[in-house]
Amino acid sequence: MNNCDDIRSRIAFYLDDELRGSDLTRFEAHLDECNSCRRAVSGERRFIESVRASRPLYPAPPALRAETERILNGAPPPYAAPPELRARIARSLWNDAPFSLKGRRALALAAAAAIIVVLAGLWYSARRPVGDPLKRPSEFAMMAVNTHLRHLRGQLPFEITSDSPDDISRWFAGKVSFSLVLPNYQQSSGQEQLYQIEGARLVAFKNDYAAYIAYQMRGRPITLVVTSDRAATPSGGEAIVSRGLTFHYHTIDGLKVIAWSDRGLTYALVSDLEERGQQSCVVCHAGTKDRDFIEDLKPRSDTQ
Ligand SMILES: [Zn+2]
């Protein structure tokens, strides 16, 4: 590093009044003899002063500040950094930083590191499945979400592209170990097209294949995954009984998942639709009589 580069890397420290002793003497001696570094320092100083002169445009409202403090104060102790990690962060802050950082800057860095550790803890605890193992989504529901996301990322091309439920049902015959017949309410009722089938493919689950069918409703993707009820048992989440069936609702990574078993098959519907995602049920229940059924699955205001 030549002398000018070395000086430029210390301008921020100089302007923060954090250079001391021989570091400060050497810095100022260089400015006396180098026009270009002197200009760099005064340019940087003008910039900092203009920033300081302007008030923050959007101060955080008191409610947001209070909420942030509440979250930070309420972070559960198990997610605080263990003592060895704290010691290592402290050592690296004090030893490795240029000009052996001291004072305000080191404190600011330590505070930033502490906040990162707390946020990482919050992120980790938010990502963990619900603590109660009985509420945890089934492996099948997780697989359905994974299938949905992989398809959105373009990692699961269709093996059959068709908007016909009959074509799709025929394609699965002999490929899966269960019988799957997709209903065709729309065609038979002649009602408005509520959704389109896009295509389908096999997806692996346990040691067998499950059927994956992709739908679109008003431009939003809906995933239906079906397997035999010997391979998957829906469980956990919020259980709602309707018409003798038990539906398990989950929100996983922001997606709504409904899983249930009926007549030998286990189903999972994944969507980003509103409420519990119950509108995704129309892919099989588009008939007028089924509208009540979908209404039944809506969260009631007293259960929300
Ligand atoms: Zn210079």
Side-chain angles (χ1 to χ4, degrees):
M1 195 191 275
N2 75 30
N3 206 18
C4 286
D5 286 341
D6 190 25
I7 291 297
R8 302 292 170 97
S9 72
R10 301 176 186 203
I11 289 177
F13 296 98
Y14 174 70
L15 292 174
D16 278 350
D17 192 25
E18 286 176 2
L19 293 188
R20 289 290 180 274
S22 62
D23 292 329
L24 180 60
T25 315
R26 201 157 60 84
F27 188 94
E28 291 184 327
H30 181 85
L31 290 195
D32 281 344
E33 63 197 28
C34 177
N35 276 329
S36 116
C37 284
R38 203 160 51 236
R39 273 198 305 276
V41 168
S42 50
E44 189 74 7
R45 194 196 308 273
R46 273 198 306 277
F47 174 71
I48 289 172
E49 281 165 359
S50 70
V51 170
R52 281 180 185 153
S54 60
R55 313 283 306 182
L57 284 176
Y58 302 106
L64 176 58
R65 284 164 188 261
E67 178 64 6
T68 306
E69 269 172 30
R70 190 190 63 75
I71 290 172
L72 290 176
N73 292 337
Y79 305 119
E84 312 82 64
L85 178 57
R86 284 161 185 260
R88 222 166 53 218
I89 291 173
R91 268 201 306 280
S92 68
L93 283 174
W94 289 93
N95 298 336
D96 302 345
F99 283 82
S100 61
L101 290 180
K102 298 257 191 292
R104 293 198 318 273
R105 188 174 294 265
L107 278 178
L109 283 174
I115 288 170
I116 288 168
V117 167
V118 168
L119 290 178
L122 289 175
W123 177 82
Y124 174 73
S125 55
R127 295 270 307 184
R128 270 187 329 158
V130 187
D132 179 356
L134 295 175
K135 289 275 178 190
R136 225 171 269 163
S138 61
E139 208 180 322
F140 185 63
M142 298 299 287
M143 181 276 271
V145 169
N146 191 33
T147 299
H148 185 86
L149 293 173
R150 275 158 66 211
H151 177 64
L152 292 186
R153 287 196 297 261
Q155 293 167 353
L156 274 186
F158 297 132
E159 292 177 277
I160 171 173
T161 303
S162 167
D163 61 359
S164 152
D166 298 337
D167 285 355
I168 303 267
S169 302
R170 263 196 302 277
W171 185 83
F172 277 117
K175 294 189 177 71
V176 289
S177 62
F178 47 89
S179 160
L180 177 67
V181 180
L182 297 174
N184 199 347
Y185 286 113
Q186 294 194 118
Q187 200 176 305
S188 52
S189 66
Q191 62 185 259
E192 58 155 334
Q193 183 96 355
L194 289 171
Y195 61 87
Q196 295 86 41
I197 298 188
E198 295 195 298
R201 64 167 292 145
L202 300 172
V203 287
F205 182 65
K206 303 271 179 78
N207 296 322
D208 204 354
Y209 281 121
Y212 160 50
I213 304 107
Y215 299 85
Q216 285 260 354
M217 187 160 75
R218 293 189 293 270
R220 289 155 87 173
I222 298 174
T223 286
L224 175 66
V225 184
V226 188
T227 188
S228 102
D229 67 358
R230 292 185 308 278
T233 309
S235 62
E238 184 190 1
I240 309 276
V241 178
S242 177
R243 298 196 183 180
L245 299 178
T246 304
F247 296 86
H248 296 262
Y249 291 88
H250 313 273
T251 300
I252 302 171
D253 284 348
L255 293 165
K256 313 297 169 58
V257 187
I258 309 174
W260 72 100
S261 287
D262 184 23
R263 282 170 283 183
L265 298 180
T266 295
Y267 303 82
L269 265 174
V270 184
S271 72
D272 64 352
L273 298 173
E274 286 73 23
E275 296 166 340
R276 294 188 179 119
Q278 73 276 2
Q279 281 301 325
S280 57
C281 299
V282 304
V283 300
C284 288
H285 298 276
T288 316
K289 67 179 169 56
D290 291 315
R291 297 297 173 83
D292 298 344
F293 162 77
I294 290 170
E295 283 295 305
D296 280 353
L297 301 181
K298 261 191 176 172
R300 271 177 279 278
S301 50
D302 58 329
T303 60
Q304 269 296 69

